[in-house]
């Protein structure tokens, strides 16, 4: 009932074009506690009573959302921003884990293409972009302003994003990888004393063997992230939850489990081979690790007498895929490198291939500079160290910027040169690893491409909007549930056979979502599409909060999960671009409820999992 009443209130606000300046709306009954558990990189269909008994138990007892969606690009900080604000990426500006900031970020080694899973980088981004790089108030900020207890615990980056302006450690309790280290968010003397009393350290343990990614000759890890996550869950159950309970006021908490993501990326089960890929024993140990943490969390809620008054939403930021480094068309794959097996795509292949193609076809001499190596010029036979690249004669005024991310990359044209955009698109269309090109509406329409506005990326963002989003090829490696065995080309320092995400294949967009608690229906399976953006809105509704909105690209409250409500009608749609000269069309498969668009898959038919090859 609470959800429904809130929905009516906010709908009226939106229609009137206004929103409350304050964080809380008056309410008669006290809201319940809300806990969001994000199990990073958990594929939507991988959960069974055998692989993840605690997650399966919650799913089967409460509300399950099998038609769920990550936002594209399917990366962690991007989805963290959607969950944190209830806005699409076009508004939050957190377009991927690595973005172009146009200004050097000191805490990222003065790179203009910083990796955002870093608390210092997030703080500097806030300072660079008007005091709040997301340009929207987060759920946890709205909650603490309204007097709720708040906490964000777990993986470095996405944990702090939940309340990134609360860097004092007192207004919101933050525990992540860098707690107790230089650059970490501090903890209060009260929390420190309680950690010590509980026999826990004051600094987060390292990932140990789990952090080892190996190299092209050495397999990566075979260990799940056990020691570090044991600390996070023990601190949560023995210190944070009792502290929040003792305040005698409802609370909102986010627990972000790095597993299975970190293990799936780094696993050494499949070096240079596509099978088992991310379906080897290390992955399943990592899923089991995260599953055990959920079990401990629920047991603690029971012990503390909070189970009946606490809603738990379990989601994942994105699905996952096995990395392929194969291409028949890439000139970069034909070169030799010191750290790449012969014939495989090197990190930074997109930058290398674009520079070569623009030189050959258009006589554009675009030397490559490496933003992760102090803008040094790339020497013959080398690849960009992290895949990122600044192209053009002057690295301080690049003509083209590649922000490499994995299953998709971002391209920026700082001069907004339409001719260079056309040449770049022509070069992209010639590569067999590309599947789908999305172009900033401001640059105009190009055959073979769809506009950023079609995929929720054109909004109110404070950070630079990418000029072109390039999606890479994906396919099933052959299994009964194709989203469980997606293989994708990825621009990454990891090896073929290790794990990545970020693509527009359904294997990456299909995340896991379920919820249980006093505000959710029991044994309910929702046929309607939902997304991580919706979860942000739904958390606000559960907490009775109406923070101000700057952008309009918001999700919807999942009101059908409330007892007595019906699922909304949705439409399935296909959007096709005009064909390029070589016949390729970017195609988007999506679902729509009212103004909210849910992205199933995008790319060139036959090159993206989830797109009908014939259409
Ligand atoms: Zn990841």
């Amino acid at each position: 009932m609470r959800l429904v009443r809130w929905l009516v209130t906010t709908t009226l606000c939106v229609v009137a074009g206004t929103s409350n300046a304050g964080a809380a709306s008056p309410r008669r009954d006290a809201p319940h506690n809300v806990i969001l558990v994000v199990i990073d990189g958990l594929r939507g269909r991988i959960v069974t009573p055998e692989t993840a008994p605690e997650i399966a138990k919650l799913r089967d007892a409460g509300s399950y959302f099998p038609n769920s969606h990550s936002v594209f690009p399917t990366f962690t900080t991007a989805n963290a921003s959607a969950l944190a604000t209830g806005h699409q990426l076009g508004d939050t500006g957190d377009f991927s884990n690595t973005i172009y900031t146009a200004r050097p970020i000191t805490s990222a080694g003065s790179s203009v293409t910083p990796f955002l899973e870093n608390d210092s980088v997030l703080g500097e981004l806030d300072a660079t972009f008007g005091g709040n790089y997301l340009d929207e108030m987060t759920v946890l900020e709205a909650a603490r302003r309204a007097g709720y207890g708040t906490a964000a615990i777990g993986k470095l980056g996405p944990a702090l994003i939940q309340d990134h302006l609360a860097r004092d450690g007192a207004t919101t309790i933050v525990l992540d990888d860098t707690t107790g280290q230089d650059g970490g968010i501090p903890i209060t003397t009260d929390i420190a004393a309680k950690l010590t009393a509980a026999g826990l350290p004051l600094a987060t343990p390292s990932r140990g063997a789990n952090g080892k990614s190996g190299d092209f000759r050495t397999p990566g890890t075979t260990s799940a992230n056990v020691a570090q996550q044991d600390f996070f869950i023990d601190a949560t159950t023995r210190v944070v939850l009792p502290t929040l309970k003792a305040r005698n006021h409802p609370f909102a908490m986010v627990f972000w489990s790095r597993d299975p993501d970190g293990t799936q990326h780094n696993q050494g089960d499949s070096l240079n081979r596509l099978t088992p890929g991310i379906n080897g024993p290390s992955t399943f140990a990592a899923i089991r690790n995260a599953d055990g943490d959920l079990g401990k969390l629920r047991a603690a809620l029971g012990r503390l007498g909070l189970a009946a008054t606490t809603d738990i939403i379990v989601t994942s930021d994105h699905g996952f895929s096995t990395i392929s480094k194969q291409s028949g068309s890439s000139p970069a794959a034909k070169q030799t490198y010191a750290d790449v097996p012969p014939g495989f795509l090197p990190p930074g292949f997109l930058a290398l291939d674009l520079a070569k193609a623009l030189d050959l076809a258009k006589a554009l001499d675009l030397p490559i500079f490496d933003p992760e190596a102090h803008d040094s010029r790339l020497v013959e036979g080398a690849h960009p160290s992290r895949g990122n690249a600044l192209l053009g004669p002057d690295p301080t005024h690049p003509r083209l910027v590649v922000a490499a991310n994995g299953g998709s990359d971002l391209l920026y044209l700082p001069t907004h040169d339409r001719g260079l955009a056309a040449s770049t698109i022509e070069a992209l269309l010639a590569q067999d690893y590309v599947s789908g090109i999305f172009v900033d509406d401001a640059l105009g329409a190009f055959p073979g491409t769809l506009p950023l506005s079609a995929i929720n990326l054109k909004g109110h963002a404070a950070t630079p909007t990418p000029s072109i989003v390039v999606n890479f090829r994906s396919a099933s490696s052959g299994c009964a549930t194709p989203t469980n065995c997606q293989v994708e080309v990825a621009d990454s320092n990891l090896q073929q056979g290790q794990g990545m995400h970020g693509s527009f294949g359904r294997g990456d967009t299909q995340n896991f979502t379920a919820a249980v608690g006093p505000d959710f229906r029991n044994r309910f399976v929702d046929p309607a599409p939902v997304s991580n953006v919706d979860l942000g809105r739904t958390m606000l509704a559960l907490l009775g909060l109406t923070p101000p909105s700057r952008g309009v690209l918001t999700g919807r409250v999942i009101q059908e999960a409330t007892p007595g409500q019906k699922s909304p009608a949705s439409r399935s749609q296909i959007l096709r671009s005009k064909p390029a000269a070589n016949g390729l069309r970017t195609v988007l498969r999506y679902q729509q409820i009212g103004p909210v668009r849910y992205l199933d898959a995008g790319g060139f038919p036959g090159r993206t999992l989830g797109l009908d090859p014939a259409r």
Side-chain angles (χ1 to χ4, degrees):
M1 287 304 129
R2 175 173 296 121
L3 289 177
V4 177
R5 195 177 64 239
W6 184 90
L7 183 74
V8 171
T9 312
T10 33
T11 303
L12 291 174
C13 285
V14 170
V15 169
T18 61
S19 58
N20 294 352
S25 57
R27 45 183 318 124
R28 281 170 305 200
D29 52 337
H32 296 121
N33 309 309
V34 176
I35 298 179
L36 174 67
V37 177
V38 183
I39 302 179
D40 204 304
L42 182 72
R43 285 163 280 172
R45 299 287 185 270
I46 206 75
V47 174
T48 70
E50 289 73 39
T51 60
E54 292 292 338
I55 304 170
K57 194 164 73 183
L58 182 149
R59 172 194 69 188
D60 297 341
S63 294
Y64 175 41
F65 307 94
N67 188 2
S68 69
H69 296 78
S70 172
V71 296
F72 174 78
T74 47
F75 290 104
T76 291
T77 64
N79 277 275
S81 79
L83 288 162
T85 64
H87 284 257
Q88 307 278 3
L89 306 186
D91 281 346
T92 70
D94 193 327
F95 293 102
S96 284
N97 285 343
T98 295
I99 62 172
Y100 171 61
T101 50
R103 273 186 267 177
I105 301 300
T106 310
S107 48
S110 295
S111 171
V112 292
T113 50
F115 181 61
L116 304 188
E117 290 179 6
N118 180 303
D119 292 346
S120 301
V121 169
L122 290 172
E124 206 174 327
L125 248 58
D126 284 330
T128 303
F129 295 103
N132 176 1
Y133 87 101
L134 297 179
D135 207 29
E136 299 289 353
M137 188 182 290
T138 67
V139 176
L140 285 198
E141 180 182 354
R144 72 172 153 80
R145 283 172 176 247
Y148 291 83
T150 47
I153 295 153
K155 180 175 172 177
L156 180 64
L160 183 61
I161 285 171
Q162 305 309 313
D163 195 359
H164 54 111
L165 302 181
R167 301 181 66 90
D168 61 1
T171 43
T172 285
I173 302 167
V174 177
L175 296 175
D176 66 17
D177 299 45
T178 49
T179 296
Q181 298 175 22
D182 285 348
I185 303 299
I187 51 174
T188 62
T189 50
D190 172 56
I191 294 293
K194 288 172 175 167
L195 285 169
T196 302
L200 295 168
L202 300 182
T204 301
S206 83
R207 293 171 63 189
N210 180 256
K212 294 197 165 60
S213 56
D215 60 30
F216 77 111
R217 287 197 208 97
T218 319
T221 191
T222 52
S223 308
N225 190 30
V226 176
Q228 191 186 66
Q229 294 200 193
D230 280 354
F231 167 75
F232 286 136
I233 196 64
D234 289 346
T236 299
T237 56
R238 294 193 224 157
V239 174
V240 177
L241 284 175
T243 300
L244 293 171
K245 184 192 174 188
R247 290 177 182 172
N248 281 319
H249 202 82
F251 61 82
M253 184 180 93
V254 176
F255 184 90
W256 200 293
S257 169
R258 184 183 284 274
D259 259 342
D261 178 275
T263 306
Q264 289 171 164
H265 277 302
N266 283 357
Q267 48 75 23
D269 296 340
S270 196
L271 180 61
N272 294 325
R273 293 178 292 123
L274 296 178
T275 53
I278 57 164
N279 286 307
S282 304
T283 286
F284 289 101
I287 292 171
R288 202 57 184 245
N289 185 36
D291 184 74
D293 289 348
L294 179 67
K296 289 177 187 170
L297 178 73
R298 295 191 74 188
L301 290 170
R303 270 198 316 277
L304 292 162
L306 295 169
T309 53
T310 302
D311 292 313
I312 307 175
I313 299 170
V314 178
T315 192
S316 53
D317 44 353
H318 49 71
F320 229 87
S321 300
T322 298
I323 296 172
S324 163
K325 295 280 190 175
Q326 296 172 32
S327 164
S329 66
S330 167
K334 297 181 172 67
Q335 305 290 312
T336 54
Y337 309 87
D339 57 350
V340 179
F344 277 10
L345 291 164
F349 61 83
L350 187 65
L352 292 164
D353 286 346
L354 282 176
K356 183 154 212 159
L358 292 167
D359 186 17
L360 280 177
K362 306 289 169 187
L364 291 175
D365 180 25
L366 297 176
I368 300 177
F369 296 87
D370 187 339
E372 271 62 59
H374 307 290
D375 292 355
S376 58
R377 186 167 175 167
L378 208 66
V379 297
E380 195 60 34
H383 59 73
S385 57
R386 307 293 305 172
N388 304 319
L390 311 171
L391 276 64
D394 176 3
T396 63
H397 295 91
R399 296 190 62 192
L400 178 63
V401 178
V402 180
N405 274 281
S408 60
D409 279 0
L410 307 178
L411 301 180
Y412 297 79
L413 303 172
T415 56
H416 308 287
D417 179 339
R418 194 170 190 278
L420 181 58
S423 306
T424 302
I425 290 162
E426 195 183 323
L428 293 171
L429 285 161
Q431 293 300 337
D432 63 3
Y433 53 74
V434 172
S435 180
I437 303 168
F438 301 88
V439 181
D440 187 354
D441 304 59
L443 284 164
F446 297 86
T449 77
L450 286 174
L452 291 188
S453 58
I455 55 171
N456 302 320
L457 294 184
K458 192 69 178 167
H460 200 273
T463 64
T465 294
S467 305
I468 301 173
V469 177
V470 185
N471 180 53
F472 298 130
R473 180 175 203 142
S474 60
S476 163
S477 68
C479 61
T481 305
T483 53
N484 281 348
C485 62
Q486 176 168 300
V487 172
E488 72 190 25
V489 170
D491 196 353
S492 163
N493 287 65
L494 294 169
Q495 312 300 320
Q496 171 154 303
Q498 292 187 305
M500 190 35 86
H501 46 87
S503 83
F504 221 149
R506 193 65 179 126
D508 285 350
T509 67
Q510 170 85 73
N511 64 340
F512 176 88
T513 307
V516 73
D519 292 302
F520 288 97
R521 292 164 73 172
N522 293 326
R523 290 176 296 284
F524 170 59
V525 179
D526 189 358
V530 304
S531 81
N532 282 338
V533 181
D534 294 347
L535 293 185
R537 303 309 290 179
T538 302
M539 286 166 63
L540 289 170
L542 291 168
L543 296 163
L545 301 171
T546 55
S549 253
R550 289 174 64 82
V552 297
L553 293 177
T554 56
R556 70 181 180 94
V557 177
I558 308 171
Q559 60 164 331
E560 68 271 22
T562 310
Q565 297 301 308
K566 281 199 293 202
S567 290
S570 64
R571 291 178 293 137
S572 288
Q573 305 271 9
I574 301 276
L575 184 63
R576 294 180 189 82
S577 75
K578 291 202 174 77
N582 65 359
L584 289 173
R585 294 174 191 261
T586 295
V587 173
L588 176 68
R589 184 162 74 82
Y590 66 96
Q591 299 168 68
Q592 186 115 11
I593 296 178
V596 185
R597 186 171 282 194
Y598 300 86
L599 310 177
D600 295 327
F604 302 143
R607 291 195 203 169
T608 285
L609 182 73
L611 282 184
D612 183 344
R615 298 174 76 170

